[in-house]
Amino acid sequence: MQHYDVLILGSGLAGMTLALQLAETRKIALVTKRTLTDGASQWAQGGIAAVLDQTDSIDEHVRDTLIAGAGLCDEAATRFILDRAREAIEWLIELGVPFTPDAAHETGFHLTREGGHSHRRIIHAADATGAAVVATLAAKVAAHPNIHLLEEHIGLDLIVGKKLGHPDSGCLGAYVLDKRSGQVQTLLADHTVLATGGAGKVYLYTTNPDTATGDGIAMGWRAGCRVANMEFIQFHPTCLYHPHAMSFLISEAVRGEGGLLKLPDGSRFMPAHDERAELAPRDITARAIDFEMKKYGLDCVYLDISHQPAEFIREHFPNIHQRCLELGIDITRQPIPVVPAAHYTCGGLLTDLAGRTDVANLYAIGETACTGLHGANRLASNSLLEALVLGRAAAQAILSAAPVQRIPVPAWDASRVSDADEEVVIAHNWDELRRFMWDYVGIVRTDKRLERAAHRIALLRSEIDEFYRNFRVSNDLIELRNLVDTADLIVRSAQLRHESRGLHFSRDYPATLGTAVPTILAARGE
């Protein structure tokens, strides 16, 4: 057994921000499923939303966020996070993040605009902001003597005092599988933080990396945390459609800089769906594309920015330009084939504005958490911002927390399990889950589709629980177990919402109710 001051599960922007804020005075364990930089944060292209110039205001950023959130944002939480945006950006600049410069702008940096924003307020590093931020922070994390990095490790389950006969002890740490040795380690901590990202891999098509399997949400739920607004899964409108490309995101900023959505005949369709046309929020844009594809039986639609100067395109979107060129698409002359794909989990473990969950000494930050900022639909580029601000806020809460009483904890017991005889069952169940979630719980939903999904989830759970009881745990089994729990939360939340709002659109309940109420699922078993 190993004991730390703080155990952080997840090494994305939220987890690394927290680790760096604590490392001067605390002993940290930073657990990551693959390598330090393999999370979803580094995939972010667009940038970070913040009020940085005099023509903009916090009030307008709040207003844009509330509009995108379709009445379900917590206004106090929204203002808390947006008020702290500039301070968080300044911290990143001090660390050396290479944001794209603009000598003509008062800030010295180029600001772009994305769908749903009334101003240019997205600070970015070309079209690979996440990669630039993550690389900068990762170098600091890797070099810090107080941060013990555990790569190729995956959280199995949280250790909570309630299950050990100590109901007041809260979270005591986690059981973690070392994927290289196959051994389960017992990592104890005074404070445990879930920063494992979202659950995009619950769907067949997603812009998320393979690591986005809802681990933190599922672990927190099993430990006794409430979960909020899980029906609101954001589908990014523009994912590259190509048979030889993994889901590659085409940034919101392409539309922000003049990109036009078109049908195969070259005609635009967004003005018929929303007066903001291509600058409409993501939920409206994704549904419009879905509608046009179904109407005409299309495999994709097209995003065209070729009317902009070639040099402008290469300068602003070098990575998108290069990736498309590798696939035979020259975006300076040709439109980009795009489809919607699961992109962001707006709901998650219910937390306060310091990341605290319902379980004492357990925190959740980043995409794993639900603070109330995103409501029924996340405004573009508010996600990295939330990870930054809440990572810093959670650090302050941990630093000011009272000492934690430690109690004896049993080691993981693997004495009564054997090696799995048919690992292929796990692969088949994974594929089945992702396909029926895409078909039944996607952009447009019905009661019947949700019922079908719930039925299949129940069947899968019984198989997975039997596997979990009888065989040694593996990375694939842990991820599948978490995906099934997460899928169940999404379906149950969707069944409870008898309206269409934001990212949740139901053909059975197409109207929006007069009062916006969050969907909160009580702790499992209560």
Side-chain angles (χ1 to χ4, degrees):
M1 292 190 188
Q2 300 170 66
H3 203 291
Y4 298 90
D5 295 320
V6 183
L7 169 62
I8 304 171
L9 300 174
S11 65
L13 178 56
M16 286 200 289
T17 295
L18 176 64
L20 290 172
Q21 293 283 315
L22 293 172
E24 292 308 309
T25 58
R26 298 292 188 273
K27 181 184 176 185
I28 312 294
L30 185 61
V31 175
T32 183
K33 289 206 292 191
R34 292 189 179 176
T35 66
L36 178 58
T37 59
D38 267 335
S41 295
Q42 78 153 0
W43 288 44
Q45 294 178 354
I48 307 172
V51 174
L52 299 173
D53 70 24
Q54 296 179 0
T55 66
D56 199 1
S57 72
I58 300 292
D59 285 343
E60 288 175 282
H61 192 177
V62 168
R63 181 177 62 84
D64 292 343
T65 301
L66 297 182
I67 290 171
L72 209 57
C73 298
D74 181 308
E75 187 166 353
T78 300
R79 191 167 291 278
F80 175 91
I81 293 166
L82 304 191
D83 273 343
R84 288 157 178 76
R86 185 179 193 121
E87 181 183 358
I89 295 296
E90 289 171 349
W91 178 67
L92 291 180
I93 293 171
E94 287 175 15
L95 292 180
V97 174
F99 290 116
T100 298
D102 182 355
H105 195 273
E106 64 182 86
T107 63
F109 297 100
H110 183 266
L111 303 180
T112 191
R113 183 182 174 189
E114 295 179 348
H117 288 274
S118 58
H119 287 268
R120 285 183 171 268
R121 63 167 70 99
I122 317 300
I123 190 169
H124 61 101
D127 61 347
T129 306
V133 173
V134 165
T136 304
L137 269 60
K140 306 286 185 185
V141 166
H144 206 292
N146 281 350
I147 301 175
H148 183 200
L149 178 62
L150 294 167
E151 295 183 318
E152 298 295 334
H153 285 63
I154 179 172
L156 184 57
D157 259 323
L158 297 170
I159 304 168
V160 288
K162 183 178 180 180
K163 296 181 180 179
L164 300 175
H166 297 272
D168 297 327
S169 294
C171 185
L172 307 167
Y175 295 115
V176 174
L177 174 69
D178 181 343
K179 293 160 60 175
R180 291 167 294 199
S181 70
Q183 299 300 307
V184 176
Q185 301 176 351
T186 306
L187 303 184
L188 305 179
D190 295 341
H191 303 276
T192 301
V193 185
L194 298 168
T196 61
K201 293 299 285 189
V202 79
Y203 286 99
L204 184 60
Y205 301 111
T206 177
T207 63
N208 291 181
D210 290 341
T211 53
T213 51
D215 301 331
I217 296 170
M219 282 191 286
W221 170 248
R222 294 194 293 263
C225 298
R226 287 175 296 164
V227 171
N229 293 343
M230 284 298 292
E231 68 270 40
F232 298 113
I233 303 295
Q234 186 175 78
F235 289 81
H236 197 288
T238 54
C239 178
L240 178 64
Y241 177 77
H242 193 282
H244 302 303
M246 290 293 288
S247 294
F248 181 72
L249 178 68
I250 304 299
S251 170
E252 193 96 15
V254 174
R255 287 186 287 129
E257 295 294 345
L260 302 175
L261 285 164
K262 297 179 178 180
L263 297 172
D265 65 3
S267 62
R268 291 175 66 192
F269 57 87
M270 280 307 299
H273 290 269
D274 192 278
E275 62 183 11
R276 291 164 289 189
E278 279 78 10
L279 291 178
R282 289 176 176 175
D283 59 329
I284 293 170
T285 307
R287 276 201 303 277
I289 294 172
D290 184 69
F291 175 87
E292 299 292 338
M293 286 172 60
K294 287 183 169 65
K295 179 180 178 181
Y296 295 107
L298 305 174
D299 292 326
C300 65
V301 295
Y302 295 87
L303 180 58
D304 191 358
I305 196 169
S306 62
H307 52 277
Q308 294 279 29
E311 189 54 40
F312 175 92
I313 294 170
R314 285 191 287 266
E315 178 186 348
H316 282 77
F317 307 110
N319 292 285
I320 295 173
H321 176 260
Q322 181 59 36
R323 181 64 179 132
C324 288
L325 209 55
E326 291 168 1
L327 297 168
I329 304 165
D330 182 353
I331 69 172
T332 66
R333 298 188 298 108
Q334 299 168 274
I336 309 166
V338 294
V339 290
H343 182 60
Y344 192 85
T345 310
C346 287
L349 300 176
L350 195 62
T351 72
D352 67 8
L353 294 176
R356 300 182 190 92
T357 69
D358 296 319
V359 177
N361 309 321
L362 177 65
Y363 302 74
I365 52 177
E367 196 173 350
T368 305
C370 182
T371 62
L373 171 65
H374 304 309
N377 180 26
R378 176 176 70 86
L379 183 65
S381 290
N382 270 354
S383 53
L384 294 184
L385 174 62
E386 183 186 44
L388 274 171
V389 171
L390 266 294
R392 290 161 61 89
Q396 293 305 310
I398 290 169
L399 290 171
S400 60
V404 174
Q405 183 178 3
R406 300 177 180 180
I407 65 170
V409 172
W412 180 260
D413 182 8
S415 62
R416 295 187 296 275
V417 297
S418 60
D419 291 325
D421 52 358
E422 291 189 15
E423 290 278 356
V424 70
V425 173
I426 296 175
H428 286 175
N429 286 352
W430 176 296
D431 186 60
E432 181 186 349
L433 173 71
R434 296 180 66 206
R435 286 183 182 279
F436 74 64
M437 285 296 290
W438 182 262
D439 290 339
Y440 299 147
V441 199
I443 296 173
V444 177
R445 300 161 181 176
T446 67
D447 283 350
K448 192 67 177 176
R449 291 177 186 175
L450 295 175
E451 285 174 19
R452 288 172 177 158
H455 176 67
R456 283 161 173 77
I457 287 169
L459 293 174
L460 282 180
R461 171 168 279 133
S462 65
E463 289 187 21
I464 293 162
D465 285 349
E466 181 186 359
F467 240 82
Y468 189 73
R469 284 192 303 269
N470 296 315
F471 300 114
R472 295 189 195 283
V473 294
S474 65
N475 178 80
D476 289 349
L477 177 59
I478 293 168
E479 289 187 330
L480 179 60
R481 180 178 178 234
N482 291 334
L483 281 173
V484 168
D485 276 344
T486 305
D488 182 48
L489 293 170
I490 294 169
V491 171
R492 288 173 57 189
S493 300
Q495 288 177 315
L496 289 170
R497 186 162 295 280
H498 293 172
E499 63 166 349
S500 290
R501 182 183 298 276
L503 300 166
H504 174 78
F505 185 83
S506 170
R507 285 184 177 165
D508 296 307
Y509 308 100
T512 301
L513 298 178
T515 302
V517 180
T519 305
I520 298 176
L521 301 179
R524 189 174 185 179
E526 296 182 6

